[in-house]
């Protein structure tokens, strides 16, 4: 069966420091991959999605970036974190085919910027 | 452009009450998919149900039921005999078949609090 792993679970970083969050999927090939951010008490905002290795689409302008170096690996990065980057970050995957399939989410990373 | 509206931001009920969470959507696509997710306090999103636009049959799964009505662009979720473990934020979401990345558009979520 397919599983999604996301780490770290929690992270406290100072303003201006770099960021790297990692997400990996097991048990499937060529998945679509997604990064979302959820501010406290708010809904989900799609940040990036990828339909294949090296293919990244950005949904909102920000100081974050994403990369997909391998088929089942999706990385969210920043060179310099801002206070506004605080939030709950969720990675998700779905099969690359069959557009009616749901997305499945990782456990999330709680990021606090000090 | 697609849009999902969950007008109820917060609902509070007493255990064993029935509760309905509303979801209204907008889309120009004739083929689309609707989803409900549950986000418990631990934070992960749990997939509950998918409904295709061409299938208006309602569905029941234990205490959960879903009412899909294309005429009113609604996909409401009812929990019968609510329990404390149902306390969570519930999200309704839409995906259009023509959407290149199969992206989901989420509603703002409804926080359900079930009190003992």
């Amino acid at each position: 069966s397919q599983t999604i792993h996301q780490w770290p679970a929690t992270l406290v970083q100072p303003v201006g420091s770099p960021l790297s969050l990692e997400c990996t999927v097991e048990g499937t090939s060529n998945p679509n991959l997604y990064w979302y951010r959820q501010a406290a008490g708010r809904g989900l905002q799609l940040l990036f999605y990828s339909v294949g290795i090296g293919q990244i689409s950005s949904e909102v302008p920000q100081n974050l970036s994403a990369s997909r170096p391998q088929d089942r690996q999706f990385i969210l990065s920043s060179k310099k974190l801002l206070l506004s980057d605080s939030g709950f970050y969720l990675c998700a995957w779905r099969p690359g085919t069959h557009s009616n399939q749901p997305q499945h989410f990782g456990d999330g990373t709680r990021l606090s910027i000090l | 452009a697609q849009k999902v509206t969950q007008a109820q931001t917060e609902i509070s009920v007493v255990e064993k009450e029935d509760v309905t969470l509303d979801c209204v959507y907008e889309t120009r696509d004739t083929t689309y998919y609707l989803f409900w997710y549950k986000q418990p306090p631990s934070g992960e999103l749990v997939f509950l149900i998918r409904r295709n636009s061409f299938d208006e049959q309602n569905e029941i799964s234990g205490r959960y039921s879903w009412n899909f009505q294309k005429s009113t662009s609604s996909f409401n979720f009812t929990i019968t005999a609510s329990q404390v473990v149902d306390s969570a934020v519930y999200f309704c979401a839409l995906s259009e078949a023509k959407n290149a990345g199969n992206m989901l558009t989420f509603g703002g979520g409804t926080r359900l609090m079930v009190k003992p």
Side-chain angles (χ1 to χ4, degrees):
Chain A
S1 64
Q2 302 90 357
T3 55
I4 180 169
H5 301 282
Q6 190 180 338
W7 68 93
T10 59
L11 190 60
V12 180
Q13 292 283 95
V15 171
S17 63
L19 173 74
S20 180
L21 303 180
E22 190 159 343
C23 172
T24 59
V25 181
E26 295 177 358
T28 187
S29 297
N30 197 31
N32 286 2
L33 297 170
Y34 307 85
W35 277 111
Y36 291 86
R37 176 169 60 200
Q38 185 178 29
R42 305 288 295 277
L44 289 134
Q45 179 187 39
L46 178 64
L47 301 175
F48 301 96
Y49 71 91
S50 172
V51 299
I53 296 175
Q55 299 178 59
I56 308 295
S57 296
S58 174
E59 289 298 297
V60 290
Q62 62 232 322
N63 68 319
L64 300 171
S65 62
S67 62
R68 185 170 177 174
Q70 299 181 44
D71 181 42
R72 289 169 289 180
Q73 184 184 28
F74 204 24
I75 298 172
L76 182 69
S77 304
S78 174
K79 293 181 179 178
K80 283 188 177 182
L81 286 167
L82 306 172
L83 281 174
S84 57
D85 291 324
S86 291
F88 188 51
Y89 289 81
L90 286 155
C91 181
W93 78 275
R94 61 173 299 288
T97 54
H98 307 296
S99 57
N100 63 345
Q101 294 301 305
Q103 292 181 18
H104 298 279
F105 289 78
D107 290 339
T109 296
R110 295 198 184 278
L111 175 63
S112 299
I113 310 299
L114 303 179
Chain B
Q2 65 260 40
K3 183 179 178 182
V4 177
T5 302
Q6 294 178 255
Q8 307 148 305
T9 54
E10 204 167 287
I11 299 175
S12 181
V13 299
V14 177
E15 208 171 19
K16 298 184 182 177
E17 285 185 19
D18 298 348
V19 59
T20 295
L21 310 181
D22 298 333
C23 173
V24 175
Y25 62 91
E26 296 176 27
T27 177
R28 295 179 187 170
D29 208 342
T30 54
T31 302
Y32 53 90
Y33 312 100
L34 296 163
F35 305 84
W36 275 96
Y37 285 85
K38 174 181 180 180
Q39 186 178 38
S42 52
E44 77 279 15
L45 262 77
V46 178
F47 165 67
L48 296 178
I49 190 172
R50 176 198 72 216
R51 179 54 84 219
N52 302 330
S53 56
F54 45 84
D55 179 5
E56 286 194 69
Q57 191 171 14
N58 292 328
E59 183 157 338
I60 297 175
S61 176
R63 296 184 297 105
Y64 294 173
S65 62
W66 291 269
N67 183 0
F68 176 33
Q69 294 202 347
K70 286 181 79 170
S71 60
T72 55
S73 297
S74 65
F75 186 41
N76 297 336
F77 173 27
T78 297
I79 301 175
T80 303
S82 59
Q83 300 176 1
V84 173
V85 293
D86 296 326
S87 297
V89 180
Y90 291 86
F91 290 96
C92 180
L94 166 73
S95 176
E96 295 175 334
K98 296 177 183 175
N99 184 313
N102 303 121
M103 294 175 288
L104 286 175
T105 297
F106 282 89
T110 297
R111 180 178 301 277
L112 174 64
M113 293 176 290
V114 182
K115 300 177 181 177

